[in-house]
Amino acid sequence: QVEVVESGGDSVKAGGSLRLSCVLSGFTPPTRNCMGWFRQGEGQERHWVASIDRRGTPIYASSVKGRFTVSLQLKNILYLHMNSLQPEDTDMYYCAADCDDCYSESTCTALGQGTQVTVSA
């Protein structure tokens, strides 16, 4: 059973940086499926942020491209490096793994509990 545990969320000022980490367990890469990050505000739908697709290529939502970097290290730690953070980046961020569709967390077999990112002006 695939499991994921996120960490690294914090409160920062605009222009700052954070690194989110996600430890994956229960499967052996390379996996045929995607792994990545989603975000969700209170009372809002969950939105896709970035993933590593089936070919191992990082892909990004337009709102974060050029500022965020997703990477897989040591075969089981998924990172999201977040630079030039803005108040609109404030959300709960979730790690997801073993996803049939990179853009939909409902197709993922593992979804973490989330880590809060808060960016103040």
Side-chain angles (χ1 to χ4, degrees), residues 37-75:
W37 295 90
F38 294 80
R39 59 186 288 183
Q40 185 174 23
E42 189 171 351
Q44 299 180 10
E45 293 184 354
R46 196 165 292 165
H47 296 283
W48 172 70
V49 177
S51 294
I52 294 179
D53 71 12
R54 298 181 180 187
R55 296 170 296 178
T57 301
I59 52 176
Y60 302 95
S62 57
S63 60
V64 305
K65 195 170 186 178
R67 299 188 300 124
F68 292 9
T69 302
V70 61
S71 63
L72 182 67
Q73 303 293 326
L74 301 176
K75 297 186 178 180

Side-chain angles (χ1 to χ4, degrees), residues 48-111:
W48 172 70
V49 177
S51 294
I52 294 179
D53 71 12
R54 298 181 180 187
R55 296 170 296 178
T57 301
I59 52 176
Y60 302 95
S62 57
S63 60
V64 305
K65 195 170 186 178
R67 299 188 300 124
F68 292 9
T69 302
V70 61
S71 63
L72 182 67
Q73 303 293 326
L74 301 176
K75 297 186 178 180
N76 73 323
I77 304 177
L78 187 70
Y79 292 111
L80 184 67
H81 298 261
M82 312 168 76
N83 295 318
S84 301
L85 283 162
Q86 299 300 317
E88 52 265 34
D89 294 317
T90 296
D91 259 339
M92 185 74 79
Y93 284 75
Y94 297 86
C95 176
D98 196 25
C99 311
D100 289 330
D101 181 345
C102 290
Y103 308 103
S104 173
E105 85 281 4
S106 65
T107 70
C108 307
T109 62
L111 187 68

